Amino acid sequence: METILVLTHVDETGATLTKASLEAVTAGVELAKQLSATLSIGILGGDASAAAGAVAATGARVFAVTGEAFAQPRYATDATGCEALCRAAQASIVLAPGSSRFTRVAAGVAHRLGGFIDTHITALSSNDSVDATRWFYRQRVEAVISREKRPWFLLLDAGTHAAYAGATAAATVEAVAVTLPATRTTVEGLRSPMRDAQTIRPDAKLLFVAGAGWTKKQPDGQLHVAEAGKEILEFLRLTGASLGSSKSLADQKAEGEESVLPFLTHMNQIGQTGSTPRHAKGLSTCCHGEEPHVVGWRFIGDRRAISLDPNCGWTRGKADVVYIADAFAVIAKVNAELAARSS
Ligand SMILES: Cc1cc2nc3c(=O)[nH]c(=O)nc-3n(C[C@H](O)[C@H](O)[C@H](O)COP(=O)(O)OP(=O)(O)OC[C@H]3O[C@@H](n4cnc5c(N)ncnc54)[C@H](O)[C@@H]3O)c2cc1C
């Protein structure tokens, strides 16, 4: 019989589990039910008492590795803590969020335990075996994997499961003792960009994509780059949307041309050679909708585009709704209406 462990970690507040951790808890609860397996939850963080309450309703055994050394991510301590949690739970299947904290250590922990790891898992199911689903070749090919090797570590992509939201209750936490390894890294603090400067917002409901059209000559024969930057930033400020870009737009700055939109980097690029984010809705503007770009929209729920070109890729079955219109005019109008509503 399988023994499932869900590895979780706290967020920057130190008291709450991250959303991705709670998504992994949901996956663990569902899989344990399907397999009639034992479920444990492991918590890594400075203090687990508050965080444990949020998963008490699962009825799972809760193990924790806590203390100052685990308050901040660091390879040596996180790997030791996760290894100790896996050994305490005697896990045969380990589910963990594919967060930067766990992605960094999970393969090393699997190796220490003589196990195997698969990453970017989007779904789990079980018949006779445990089946894990992931995408290959930039979300074009979907594969279902099963393995004999145990322990089997599965890192789950964020946004693929609902965050666990059971009633908060007092939880019995089994503290797992660890011998701290030698550390070379001292975490001095966190520095994060101002909210306005941070344009990539994975938790946003809306993805707003800017294409190269924003920097092209417009019907009046002129460039309107400054106006484009102003309208895009205003839209992001008013909606809280996450900013994506086509490759053509992101490349313009990289190739040393006029610095088009200084807040935009290749990190914003969506597509085959960019990212494949998950948002409920997406709005593409001034972008042609070519296949290498649109493949990055695989997990966007409702896809809309504003393009001047009635023959663009979006109109050829790639978007749910296409507005054949001037994005400068549309976004300026939308911004004005949003500003009026928020004042
Ligand atoms: C191997 C490979 C990998 C690639 N990977 C990626 C990738 O990861 N991501 C990616 O994005 N691309 C990728 N590409 C490039 C991709 O094929 C396209 O070249 C790119 O997406 C085009 O960007 P664009 O639509 O913004 O620009 P353009 O093709 O220049 O289109 C601009 C559009 O804006 C419209 N427009 C102009 N003004 C307005 C206005 N006022 N209002 C509304 N619409 C307007 C125009 O009608 C036009 O349709 C890749 C290509 C290759 C070969």
Side-chain angles (χ1 to χ4, degrees), residues 212 216 218 246-247 269-270 272-273 286 288 290 293 326-327:
K216 298 264 165 77
Q218 293 302 305
S246 70
K247 186 174 188 311
Q269 186 182 314
I270 307 295
Q272 178 176 335
T273 44
C286 296
H288 193 71
E290 285 182 26
H293 175 74
D326 182 341

Side-chain angles (χ1 to χ4, degrees), residues 210-214 216-219 245-249 269-275 285-293 306-309 312 325-328:
W214 283 104
K216 298 264 165 77
K217 279 190 181 162
Q218 293 302 305
S245 165
S246 70
K247 186 174 188 311
S248 293
L249 183 58
Q269 186 182 314
I270 307 295
Q272 178 176 335
T273 44
S275 64
T285 54
C286 296
C287 169
H288 193 71
E290 285 182 26
E291 174 63 13
H293 175 74
I306 307 171
S307 175
L308 280 176
D309 182 358
C312 70
D326 182 341
F328 279 84

Side-chain angles (χ1 to χ4, degrees), residues 37-221:
T38 313
L39 177 68
S40 302
I41 295 171
I43 301 176
L44 193 71
D47 176 9
S49 44
V55 294
T58 59
R61 277 179 83 179
V62 180
F63 295 96
V65 166
T66 56
E68 191 49 37
F70 304 99
Q72 301 286 352
R74 174 176 33 221
Y75 187 91
T77 42
D78 280 0
T80 303
C82 287
E83 181 187 353
L85 288 167
C86 293
R87 291 193 191 281
Q90 299 187 319
S92 60
I93 301 235
V94 180
L95 306 181
S99 59
S100 59
R101 186 167 187 176
F102 278 168
T103 300
R104 187 161 54 163
V105 298
V109 177
H111 180 71
R112 289 180 189 191
L113 293 163
F116 204 95
I117 184 164
D118 283 290
T119 59
H120 291 292
I121 302 303
T122 54
L124 295 163
S125 62
S126 82
N127 293 310
D128 291 341
S129 60
V130 176
D131 295 331
T133 303
R134 66 157 293 172
W135 294 81
F136 288 96
Y137 188 42
R138 304 308 297 184
Q139 334 308 335
R140 287 188 174 98
V141 180
E142 191 180 27
V144 179
I145 308 161
S146 69
R147 294 191 189 279
E148 299 290 320
K149 186 92 170 162
R150 297 290 185 270
W152 187 19
F153 283 65
L154 295 155
L155 283 190
L156 308 177
D157 267 0
T160 53
H161 293 82
Y164 181 76
T168 305
T172 307
V173 181
E174 299 179 44
V176 178
V178 288
T179 307
L180 286 180
T183 51
R184 289 180 304 181
T185 308
T186 309
V187 182
E188 293 184 347
L190 284 177
R191 272 193 288 168
S192 45
M194 304 281 290
R195 190 172 185 277
D196 280 359
Q198 179 54 274
T199 58
I200 299 170
R201 301 166 182 158
D203 289 336
K205 287 200 181 121
L206 177 66
L207 171 71
F208 177 89
V209 163
W214 283 104
T215 64
K216 298 264 165 77
K217 279 190 181 162
Q218 293 302 305
D220 62 2

